[in-house]
Amino acid sequence: MKNDGVILLRYSMEEIFILLIGYFNEWSGIFMKFNVSCVQMKPERYDVKRNIKTMCGFIDKVMEENANTNLIVFPELITSGYECHEEFHKIAEVACESDSIKIIGQAAKKYKTNIIFGFPERDAENKEVLYNSAAFVNEKGELGGTYRKVHLFDTEKKYFTPGRDYPVFDTSFGKIGVMICWDTAFPEVARIYALKDVDLLVVSTNWEKPYSDDWDLVTSARAFDNCVYLAAANRIGNDDKLSFFGHSRIVSPLGKSIAELNEEIEGVISAELDLQVPLKLREEYYTFFKDRRPDTYDLLVK
């Protein structure tokens, strides 16, 4: 009887262990999922206060529709507009002193979500130096850092200094790498982030007409190149000479559209993303990082 009792106890413990594993897998699967939203909007050129007010309205809307949203992405230079020319010197803000970041930070803290948005940044030490930047505000409402656009486009070079770094922003759901507009056309940027093990590529952009086909191509390509999710927010409306078409997108690790807003209207796209998906894909077939040959890529950095 004693032995039978031991056997019964042993099997009972095994059953409990199996149940615990099942619960762990179920809960870990839940924790591997996160919700992201991209806001497509029309900024009013030069009017930072009005744009921030509009952004806060969209943040309220997103969080009212899904209180579990982990990240909200806004377009490039959304606080100022794109073709501000010399006015950028009046509008630009030092990140650590920025009223825009403080207000968006209050919303992030209120809803316990992360927010990324584009703004003209002034260098803290040299006030004449400006950057085309994206601010990362974490769920505590704190400035987690800024990404400064590395690949400046056309007239941007007259007003902005290019960045030199590719920072990774840590969140409760994973790591984020940010690109701004023209950066997306350069495969090297997304690959650097992938080599830094980011879980999500974020694109904050002002991609203009008539290049919507190029936009759809490069966003899908950067996701597929690295078998990683990509969330991209573009603006709409007209500035001075340029107009913008929207096409905000959330893209799968295989470059397929999960959600998109192809109309030239303000709005929000959202999706729940499962971080187990790219991990599984990279193991089963899309073994880019196992098969790559960096010893043959010397020419790429010349």
Side-chain angles (χ1 to χ4, degrees), residues 39-43 51 54-55 58 74 78 235-236 266:
V39 175
Q40 182 167 292
M41 63 173 269
K42 176 187 180 298
N51 293 329
T54 302
M55 291 169 66
F58 273 112
F74 285 92
I78 197 61
R235 62 162 288 188
I236 59 168
E266 292 191 317

Side-chain angles (χ1 to χ4, degrees), residues 226-237:
N226 301 287
C227 198
V228 66
Y229 289 112
L230 181 146
N234 194 18
R235 62 162 288 188
I236 59 168

Side-chain angles (χ1 to χ4, degrees), residues 36 71 73 116 176-180 200-204 229-232:
V36 60
L71 174 67
V73 182
I116 292 173
I176 299 173
V178 179
M179 299 183 284
I180 298 178
L200 176 69
L201 293 172
V202 166
V203 185
S204 177
Y229 289 112
L230 181 146

Side-chain angles (χ1 to χ4, degrees), residues 24-136:
F24 175 78
N25 288 336
E26 181 179 348
W27 280 101
S28 64
I30 293 172
F31 291 136
M32 290 289 281
K33 295 178 181 179
F34 67 98
N35 295 278
V36 60
S37 293
C38 295
V39 175
Q40 182 167 292
M41 63 173 269
K42 176 187 180 298
E44 293 298 324
R45 196 155 49 129
Y46 314 131
D47 196 340
V48 176
K49 289 185 179 179
R50 181 171 178 177
N51 293 329
I52 290 295
K53 183 177 180 181
T54 302
M55 291 169 66
C56 287
F58 273 112
I59 294 168
D60 290 339
K61 174 181 171 64
V62 169
M63 300 309 298
E64 287 167 7
E65 291 180 357
N66 184 357
N68 295 318
T69 299
N70 303 103
L71 174 67
I72 303 173
V73 182
F74 285 92
E76 174 185 13
L77 294 172
I78 197 61
T79 64
S80 62
Y82 187 75
E83 293 180 282
C84 293
H85 312 299
E86 295 297 336
E87 291 296 307
F88 276 126
H89 285 281
K90 298 179 181 178
I91 298 171
E93 302 175 89
V94 176
C96 61
E97 304 169 359
S98 166
D99 289 335
S100 301
I101 291 174
K102 289 176 183 175
I103 294 170
I104 297 301
Q106 290 169 359
K109 183 178 181 179
K110 174 183 176 181
Y111 291 115
K112 295 182 175 60
T113 192
N114 303 278
I115 301 172
I116 292 173
F117 68 95
F119 77 111
E121 180 187 3
R122 188 184 307 280
D123 190 275
E125 297 181 1
N126 186 341
K127 299 304 172 72
E128 295 302 310
V129 174
L130 307 183
Y131 305 99
N132 181 343
S133 296
F136 166 66

